[in-house]
Amino acid sequence: MTPNVLVIGAGVIGCSLAFELTRRGAAVTVVDSAEVMSGTSSATFGWINANKKKPVEYELLNMLGLEAHERARDERNIGTADWFHQIGSIELAASTDSLAALEEKVSQLASRGYKARILTRAEVESAEPSLDVLNVAGGALYPKEGWIDALTMCSHLMNAARAQGATFKPFRRVIGLTLDGETTMSTADGLTESVKPDVTILAAGNGNRPILASAGIGFPTRPTLDWASTGHEYPSVGIITTTSPVDAGIRHMIHSPGVAIRPARNGGVTLTDAPTGAQWSHDDPRVWGVPTLLLERAQKLYPSLKSTTTENVTLGTRVLPDDGVTIADWVGEEQKVYAIATHSGVTLAGHLADAVASEVLDGTRHESLGPFGLDRFAS
Ligand SMILES: Cc1cc2nc3c(=O)[nH]c(=O)nc-3n(C[C@H](O)[C@H](O)[C@H](O)COP(=O)(O)OP(=O)(O)OC[C@H]3O[C@@H](n4cnc5c(N)ncnc54)[C@H](O)[C@@H]3O)c2cc1C
């Protein structure tokens, strides 16, 4: 029998699931309270990596994520070359002390099978001829890393899923869910409709928490979206800026103290803080000074960026499980409702879609998901 699967949310996780589930023969409907890619996935740096991920099981999960994108490029006809830019990334060290720390990090990563090697200053200069190496002592090259143009990825995946029979319904906000899978949603014209698929998969990012609250479940992710109503601040906002188009001569992703740089889909460059992960509150006025700071830092590294300006600023709200790492598990003993919530979702999307499709359709839990169940929050 062909199972009916409802996927709630059309970000990187939902689009990847739609493709993978239909590829395996499921009848899939995807709903989103807005359009494809209107949540966190629209405000991501898109760095594909397993670099500095803790604990080690999470590092492994991210390595599998990277491999899944490579597999998609090599084996699946979903236009991966258009959105997976595996250009390698270089982490710069500004002093001999930080280069020594980088050497230690590289040797640890390499001992766990991660491709990484130290670059001398001359090697950095040759790899990045437009970079001003005046304040660079050396660097580390991670050749398997790169960036994903998440919007193009989701468009390809959703189109492929539709070609395989999926239906996408935008502007359907899920307002109620029961653990036997009955799902109620409101439509743009104010009507409500209910469905009861064989399986419902929550891929609603920060929307998972309020949806599961309607089923009486306290879902262990940070309550970012309702911080105002609870009177608490949950600073989980990251800042992504993009410049106007520019021929900057940037060949790799660059991670330097204070700024990370990569090519952008508009022909400019995209910047974020580095090391990535600064967490701001939505209403912190200092947020609006960050784009200028990021551009100044990038211009010091790449004088070619002096002819460009900031064209776009996005505040992205991270999807953060309480302990920082992925949740992928059934919710409730009925096994009708499955939930995925994750940071690093761009790196992980392909692997999670693969593993979750196996679990939902065949009942086999991928061993890499072992540590990422809900039982870890039980106590
Ligand atoms: C600043 C920043 C930088 C990042 N950088 C990286 C990076 O370099 N590399 C990396 O791998 N990851 C990165 N991430 C993390 C990554 O972007 C996220 O993990 C990923 O986008 C989460 O995708 P998602 O599909 O789970 O959620 P979302 O993209 O939020 O998608 C959820 C969808 O569900 C919909 N929805 C919500 N509520 C409802 C409802 N009630 N009914 C119906 N639909 C609903 C929303 O409209 C949305 O479209 C970054 C995140 C941020 C914020």
Side-chain angles (χ1 to χ4, degrees):
M1 198 188 83
T2 306
N4 283 302
V5 183
L6 176 70
V7 176
I8 305 173
V12 286
I13 300 295
C15 292
S16 303
L17 276 168
F19 170 73
E20 193 53 39
L21 289 162
T22 49
R23 196 179 72 80
R24 293 166 187 238
V28 175
T29 302
V30 184
V31 296
D32 197 291
S33 51
E35 258 296 352
V36 174
M37 289 287 289
S38 38
T40 302
S41 304
S42 66
T44 184
F45 194 55
W47 174 26
I48 302 309
N49 74 95
N51 196 324
K52 284 193 292 194
K53 309 272 175 165
K54 286 184 182 148
V56 75
E57 295 82 4
Y58 188 54
E59 179 183 85
L60 175 65
L61 194 71
N62 279 271
M63 284 189 195
L64 292 171
L66 211 161
E67 285 169 17
H69 289 307
E70 290 179 329
R71 224 173 24 254
R73 180 193 54 211
D74 299 340
E75 296 170 15
R76 310 244 156 98
N77 184 23
I78 42 174
T80 312
D82 294 346
W83 45 264
F84 179 26
H85 304 282
Q86 197 174 28
I87 57 178
S89 80
I90 294 178
E91 182 174 358
L92 300 176
S95 66
T96 46
D97 279 356
S98 45
L99 188 57
L102 203 50
E103 279 167 0
E104 173 59 23
K105 177 184 161 188
V106 161
S107 97
Q108 283 187 16
L109 282 171
S111 73
R112 294 193 291 274
Y114 198 66
K115 295 271 184 244
R117 77 177 170 88
I118 286 292
L119 300 178
T120 62
R121 182 177 167 178
E123 286 172 325
V124 171
E125 192 166 22
S126 137
E128 281 295 313
S130 302
L131 177 73
D132 182 345
V133 291
L134 186 67
N135 296 312
V136 173
L141 172 68
Y142 309 102
K144 293 276 188 181
E145 296 181 2
W147 64 283
I148 275 183
D149 169 358
L151 181 58
T152 305
M153 169 176 133
C154 266
S155 308
H156 276 278
L157 288 170
M158 194 55 100
N159 286 339
R162 280 168 149 163
Q164 290 169 166
T167 304
F168 174 56
K169 296 183 176 179
F171 300 104
R172 300 287 197 289
R173 175 176 296 281
V174 173
I175 52 174
L177 177 74
T178 59
L179 290 187
D180 63 359
E182 181 154 349
T183 306
T184 306
M185 43 202 145
S186 62
T187 63
D189 48 13
L191 302 174
T192 57
E193 62 185 61
S194 288
V195 291
K196 197 168 179 189
D198 297 319
V199 178
T200 298
I201 305 182
L202 283 145
N206 285 312
N208 285 346
R209 192 172 190 273
I211 293 171
L212 282 165
S214 75
I217 302 289
F219 192 58
T221 54
R222 283 212 202 174
T224 47
L225 286 187
D226 55 1
W227 67 270
S229 65
T230 61
H232 295 292
E233 287 194 1
Y234 298 97
S236 51
V237 169
I239 302 167
I240 307 287
T241 71
T242 297
T243 70
S244 50
V246 60
D247 186 7
I250 294 172
R251 294 184 180 169
H252 300 79
M253 295 187 81
I254 299 295
H255 299 263
S256 175
V259 65
I261 312 173
R262 66 159 169 84
R265 72 194 307 276
N266 72 337
V269 296
T270 290
L271 311 174
T272 193
D273 58 301
T276 56
Q279 300 191 9
W280 299 85
S281 297
H282 293 82
D283 61 348
D284 188 331
R286 291 172 302 167
V287 158
W288 303 109
V290 174
T292 308
L293 215 60
L294 291 176
L295 186 56
E296 283 170 4
R297 289 173 184 163
Q299 285 169 334
K300 278 195 186 126
L301 293 168
Y302 287 88
S304 51
L305 289 176
K306 290 204 169 124
S307 62
T308 193
T309 53
T310 302
E311 200 171 78
N312 181 284
V313 178
T314 317
L315 305 187
T317 309
R318 293 181 176 83
V319 181
L320 282 178
D322 282 350
D323 60 0
V325 299
T326 306
I327 297 170
D329 204 355
W330 292 108
V331 184
E333 287 170 2
E334 298 85 344
Q335 300 213 337
K336 293 282 185 186
V337 174
Y338 197 100
I340 306 177
T342 192
H343 187 55
S344 300
V346 186
T347 301
L348 293 170
H351 175 65
L352 286 180
D354 212 16
V356 171
S358 291
E359 185 164 5
V360 164
L361 300 181
D362 311 331
T364 44
R365 185 159 174 84
H366 195 280
E367 60 177 4
S368 65
L369 295 186
F372 301 104
L374 279 165
D375 52 355
R376 71 186 195 264
F377 299 100
S379 60

